[in-house]
């Protein structure tokens, strides 16, 4: 007599991360992120505590001789009020991001079924390789070469300026797209969305932004590393970045001699301090980090286990 019991199902094994994802990943990014968040929250707590203390024990209260029935209850009520306000602001913020996507859908070119459908098909392959959600790619009219990604949940959107599409070669365009896809893969777009809550308060938001941009710049380095690790072409990624930063007319003039001269000229504490006021690192340092990554960790792993471009070995 045969048994009709079905064998227990074994859950499908989660695929191993792509080599490029692992190689480009850095735990230090999250250390810097946590430090920035804690510093921002500490600063806001200090301001909030001072404000509430002034409200409770200000000169007006002392002069009127009024007494609070329960200062603790008032404090808790204030915290609840702040919590509700933050929740409402977050809802408005997420709604605004979804509306921004709708604006691009209504005004930009979505490459889905256009002459640039090859870019959609290629990005879908990259998304499958990197085990990440597929992304939408939009092209908006803007002669300034640039690209950015945004979104806090599927669908995530990558926006390419028309100048980027016009002046970069298809291979360079792929490097830019992989860089932007890295921001989705490592949840940079999600994190940046919620960090806007810390950047929004008047006055103190500017200080919070300065603290949080230490992580933002590290996120750019990580995205650069993923582009190099996935495409296995250091020169291609550097050429794409140079083109976006200095424009197509003089990109070829940014040769190794010109680059080394600017590395020498920017090797100062004041230049590094100046960089802290931007969300992106300076081009010369991005190129340095790419070279360091390619000749360091990436080269060491390639020697041990060679892999083909865009393949998971």
């Amino acid at each position: 007599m045969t048994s009709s019991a079905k064998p227990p199902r074994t859950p499908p094994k989660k695929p191993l991360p792509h080599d490029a994802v692992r190689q480009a990943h850095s735990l230090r990014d999250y250390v810097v992120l946590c430090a920035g968040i804690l510093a921002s929250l500490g600063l806001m707590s200090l301001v909030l505590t001072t404000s509430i203390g002034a409200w409770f024990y200000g000169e007006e209260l002392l002069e009127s001789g009024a007494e609070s029935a329960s200062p603790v209850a008032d404090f808790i009520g204030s915290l609840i009020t702040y919590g509700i306000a933050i929740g409402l602001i977050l809802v408005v913020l997420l709604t605004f991001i979804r509306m921004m996507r709708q604006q691009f859908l209504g005004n930009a070119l979505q490459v889905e079924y256009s002459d640039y459908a090859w870019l959609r098909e290629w990005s879908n392959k990259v998304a499958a390789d990197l085990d990440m959600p597929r992304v939408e790619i939009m092209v908006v009219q803007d002669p300034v070469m640039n690209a950015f990604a945004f979104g806090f949940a599927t669908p995530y959107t990558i926006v390419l300026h028309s100048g980027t599409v016009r002046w970069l070669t298809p291979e360079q365009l792929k490097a830019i797209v992989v860089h932007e896809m890295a921001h989705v893969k490592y949840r940079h777009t999600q994190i940046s969305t919620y960090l806007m809550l810390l950047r929004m308060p008047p006055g103190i938001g500017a200080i919070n932004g300065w603290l949080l941009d230490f992580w933002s710049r590290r996120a750019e380095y990580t995205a650069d590393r993923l582009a190099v690790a996935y495409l296995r072409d250091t020169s291609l990624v550097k050429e794409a970045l140079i083109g976006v930063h200095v424009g197509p007319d003089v990109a070829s003039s940014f040769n190794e001699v010109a680059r080394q001269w600017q590395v020498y000229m920017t090797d100062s504490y004041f230049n590094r301090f100046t960089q802290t006021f931007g969300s992106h690192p300076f081009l010369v340092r991005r190129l340095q980090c790419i070279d360091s990554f390619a000749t360091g960790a990436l080269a060491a792993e390639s020697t041990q286990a060679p892999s083909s471009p865009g393949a998971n070995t």
Side-chain angles (χ1 to χ4, degrees):
M1 188 173 181
T2 59
S3 173
S4 60
K6 294 181 180 180
R9 286 187 177 182
T10 56
K13 293 183 178 179
K14 188 176 181 179
L16 293 174
H18 192 282
D19 285 346
V21 174
R22 177 178 49 80
Q23 291 163 348
H25 182 259
S26 174
L27 289 176
R28 293 181 181 179
D29 292 359
Y30 300 102
V31 174
V32 174
L33 174 62
C34 291
I37 292 175
L38 291 175
S40 299
L41 290 176
L43 186 60
M44 293 181 67
S45 298
L46 178 62
V47 173
L48 179 61
T49 302
T50 304
S51 300
I52 292 177
W55 180 53
F56 280 152
Y57 308 108
E59 294 180 359
E60 183 178 348
L61 181 61
L62 292 176
E63 290 175 0
S64 63
E67 294 184 0
S68 175
S70 177
V72 175
D74 290 342
F75 180 76
I76 294 175
S78 299
L79 290 181
I80 293 175
T81 301
Y82 279 113
I84 294 174
I86 291 173
L88 291 175
I89 292 172
L90 179 60
V91 170
V92 172
L93 178 61
L94 298 182
T95 302
F96 173 78
I97 291 175
R98 285 306 195 199
M99 290 175 64
M100 186 167 66
R101 173 181 174 261
Q102 294 300 319
Q103 289 177 336
F104 282 116
L105 279 172
N107 293 309
L109 168 69
Q110 187 177 19
V111 302
E112 196 75 12
Y113 296 105
S114 70
D115 293 339
Y116 290 90
W118 63 268
L119 194 55
R120 173 209 64 189
E121 295 167 2
W122 182 79
S123 66
N124 288 347
K125 176 186 178 301
V126 176
D129 287 343
L130 302 183
D131 188 27
M132 61 175 285
R134 293 185 178 186
V135 297
E136 302 175 320
I137 299 180
M138 312 274 191
V139 180
V140 65
Q141 165 60 15
D142 195 322
V144 177
M145 298 172 67
N146 199 8
F148 59 91
F150 69 90
F152 58 89
T154 305
Y156 296 92
T157 305
I158 292 175
V159 179
L160 302 175
H161 287 190
S162 57
T164 305
V165 177
R166 178 180 182 181
W167 294 110
L168 293 186
T169 67
E171 294 304 311
Q172 292 172 343
L173 200 57
K174 288 180 180 180
I176 297 299
V177 170
V178 174
H179 171 97
E180 299 303 332
M181 291 180 73
H183 289 312
V184 177
K185 173 60 182 178
Y186 293 115
R187 303 184 185 277
H188 297 161
T189 58
Q190 286 182 324
I191 295 170
S192 297
T193 297
Y194 297 111
L195 289 183
M196 288 180 68
L197 291 172
L198 298 175
R199 297 175 181 267
M200 291 175 65
I204 195 173
I207 302 176
N208 289 345
W210 182 79
L211 293 169
L212 295 170
D213 278 343
F214 282 88
W215 168 78
S216 297
R217 290 188 294 275
R218 291 193 64 91
E220 294 300 324
Y221 288 135
T222 298
D224 290 344
R225 289 197 301 269
L226 182 64
V228 172
Y230 183 82
L231 296 173
R232 299 282 169 166
D233 192 336
T234 305
S235 298
L236 175 65
V237 178
K238 289 165 61 177
E239 289 169 2
L241 287 175
I242 291 171
V244 170
H245 276 79
V246 305
D249 296 323
V250 298
S252 60
S253 297
F254 202 84
N255 53 42
E256 189 61 24
V257 175
R259 177 192 159 197
Q260 291 302 326
W261 170 249
Q262 288 190 224
V263 169
Y264 170 75
M265 292 296 293
T266 56
D267 187 18
S268 66
Y269 289 112
F270 188 68
N271 186 269
R272 295 178 186 278
F273 171 72
T274 303
Q275 182 181 252
T276 65
F277 291 90
S279 60
H280 287 56
F282 290 158
L283 174 62
V284 289
R285 292 201 175 86
R286 293 179 74 169
L287 299 179
Q288 282 181 297
C289 287
I290 288 175
D291 285 339
S292 177
F293 174 65
T295 58
L298 190 61
E301 291 202 9
S302 298
T303 303
Q304 296 173 2
S307 60
S308 59
N312 190 12
T313 56

